[in-house]
Amino acid sequence: MYRNTPHSISLHDYRPPEFLIDRVDLRFELDPERTSVEARLRLRRNPAATRGDGTLRLHGEQLDLEQVAMDDHPLTPTDYRVDAESLTLLRVPDRLTLLTRVRIHPNLNTALEGLYQSGDMLCTQCEAEGFRRITYFLDRPDVMARYGTTLVADRRRFPVLLSNGNRVESQDLPDGRHLVRWEDPFPKPSYLFALIAGDLSAVEDRFITASGREVELKIYVEPHNLDKCDHAMRSLQKAMRWDEERFGREYDLDVFMIVAVSHFNMGAMENKGLNVFNDKYVLARPDTATDADFEGIEGVIAHEYFHNWTGNRITCRDWFQLSLKEGFTVYRDQEFSADMGSRGVKRINDVRLLRAHQFPEDGGPMAHPVRPESYIEINNFYTATVYQKGAEVVRMQANLLGPERFRQATDLYFERHDGQAVTTDDFVRCMEDASGRDLGQFRRWYDQAGTPELTVAGDYDATSGAYTLTIRQYTPPTPGQVVKAPFHIPLAIGLLGPDGRDLPLRLAGEPSATAPGTRVLELREVEERFCFIDLTARPVPSLLRGFPAPVKLRFDYSDDDLLFLMAHDSDGFNRWDAAQTLLQRLLLGLVADPEAGIPEHFFDAFRRALLDPSSDRALLAEVLTLPSESYLGDQMEVVDVDGIHRAYMALGRLVGERLREDLLRVYRDNRETGPYAFTPEASGRRALKNLALGYLMRVGDAQALQDCQSQFAAGHNMTDVMAALRLLVDHGGAEGAQALDDFYRRWSRESLVLDKWFSVQATSSRPDTLERVRQLMGHTDFSLRNPNRVRSLVGAFCTANQVRFHAVDGDGYRFLADRVLELDPLNPQIASRLLKAMIRWRCFDPGRQALMRAEIERILASEELSNDAFEVASKALESR
Ligand code: B3K
Ligand code: ZN
């Protein structure tokens, strides 16, 4: 090994805290260069813990300790020990009041964890272990305390001072300073602490809860962004109402605040009563934000709000239980968005995301269960597995119980565990207790990693009229888990008759058939057989309807079966999935043999779908979208980077050529007429129109180029402008350059829009993209210190541009490794996330493998590597 291996933390080692904290009083004298933090903690021994050695160890990092006092007596350095990670008091009574005073330096905090400076404001991010960079504390989620927070700062520089809970006092102080005191009546873990200081303006509204209480709603932003908060406010109000109706959850404080900040490591943070957001998930105006942005804002605002119950009132016992709050809250936000927009399209997008990110993670060197067993750095485990697969695991339970029982189960969960820090097992127990179902085997979804593969075979016996499905489940080994026990898998299926309609379903041994439609089979064994009887012809099975479980399906469909399902399946999700399977098959066929033709029936089906007047445009756009290049790569034994790109371009061009007239008509018919509206109908139109334009542009059609330029120039809304800009940039030449210049001139002061300008260049498939990206690194508007900017340029290039990032000469890999090494000392979380772009190096050909491996080794050889990056790099190289 290259350095001292940081130690890894295991679930098995969990012990309850020796001390509890009943009350915390914090006093901040805020200053970007030197902030003083005084903390008064009321501690008592935890009756539920075993007694240790009589010492008390508090977490603390990068704190300049100035004073320690116990029960009002100042302590001297012989009474305690301080190291880089903790303060240990050597002799403590069973109850004590501890006072510490430390200095911290927000302006030097580039990791954006703890208290840091973003532009002219000060803000905090404490999850998971950032509070220990603010003060000495028992910084673990199972220590829940009541907080009182006093903020003192220069009144002119920081007129707004916010923290959790309700504002109970404010006063002017001498020397131009002022003081505000906040009191949070709900006990909370330290990771939910937040403070904000800045010159901010607020958009205000209100919400009347189901029981008639009035809640003040405030969204704080920098003054020039006040005109971009409408959508966020509406989304918040909708989320609050929905949570009352769907889950019976009412908001509990008198005020709910959101603050938008421009330097933020992730999407947003659910601090009690004071959610802090990446401004990307707050700010939107039709001319600055795309439909995807509007959707993202609605979903993330809801997600953070929902955490008030699933995360804050009931929190996690330890960080291995992260999915307790994240999986459940993602499930809740998915359901909310499905109710606000189109349920079918939402499901497709969620599954697309799961397959694009979680499946590869589950098959790679950092595969881990929904409830991981160990970690070096918890920040590396805010993953697609914990979030998205965790949500699927909740969804399966909701489906197994049915809506009424599931609601009873969640009611029980909220009642039984309110105010506690609990485990995923406690959650499942509520599901069991409310429903009487045994979820013993189901619990394996929480502790076995890997994506189960279902291999299904169908056999029709014409003489007996029986159709037998034989289903085998197999889960490949993952690091540390070689042998897997079978999962309990709900499998929703239907059988289509020759006329395309659902058949009544009757299993052998059953007295009668169930009505035509979907039926849920529950798998528990490695292999199971289901024999359906009374069938007069071979049915076409529609398996995994609505995607009932996070599994991969193998069934030997013919092209005709897929076309049939695409045209007739009563399940919208499976119509889409059949189309995707077919497209994937065509594309992989072209990869294997670039001369392989495209069968005529494919174009017919495409045309029929395109011209079907009854179809939902949003859904149609999903059906006609080609699977991404990286997704295609995931389906191959060895990713053929260039072959995939060629096939992808070739099929796109063929579609454009063969369906030119129809695509043109669709493009024209769906052009924007009125003002922008963010409705499923209107965004569906835009999606379909822009998809059509994309295919037309592949042909190199002069008419399409003109349409594209006028759409860009008309600038009706950012969705259309970005769609056109992307196509123009890929087209290149004078037109591409001109569009980029115009866009920059218009938007260089709007940093979120400027992010789009960077990323559209980073994701271009043009051969000189990396060179361009390198140039843009030197652009005056580029900065490694702003995570959004880093993601928009470096992140976009490395994760959303397979063909250029994986260039055969390894230049992309060198570029990434250089950026990781540059970023790691500044912001380890962002560095280690970027590094994950190379974690699947073993999926590529030997040449690329060697190049990537060398870069990962170079990173690992760095003396000063963070734990974050070390964990990813070392796990990437571990032998399988
Ligand atoms: N709970 C935060 C994520 C914190 C990430 C810390 N590295 C946002 C969310 O999931 O709602
Ligand atoms: Zn969350």
Side-chain angles (χ1 to χ4, degrees), residues 401-413 430-431 434-435:
L401 267 61
E404 272 167 38
R405 288 253 183 277
F406 181 63
R407 172 65 194 267
Q408 285 161 6
T410 57
D411 284 353
L412 176 64
Y413 173 71
C430 290
M431 299 292 122
S435 67

Side-chain angles (χ1 to χ4, degrees), residues 270 303-304 307 325-326 329-330 387:
E270 70 263 24
H303 179 98
E304 306 309 331
H307 268 314
K325 74 178 177 82
E326 296 305 346
T329 305
V330 171
Y387 277 65

Side-chain angles (χ1 to χ4, degrees), residues 733-771:
E735 295 88 351
Q738 185 63 50
L740 281 170
D741 279 356
D742 291 350
F743 191 92
Y744 181 80
R745 260 200 304 281
R746 165 105 210 256
W747 293 113
S748 63
R749 283 168 201 280
E750 289 283 353
S751 70
L752 290 173
V753 185
L754 199 54
D755 287 337
K756 299 180 192 301
W757 182 80
F758 279 99
S759 68
V760 79
Q761 299 181 72
T763 51
S764 163
S765 62
R766 299 197 66 78
D768 62 351
T769 293
L770 178 52
E771 206 181 304

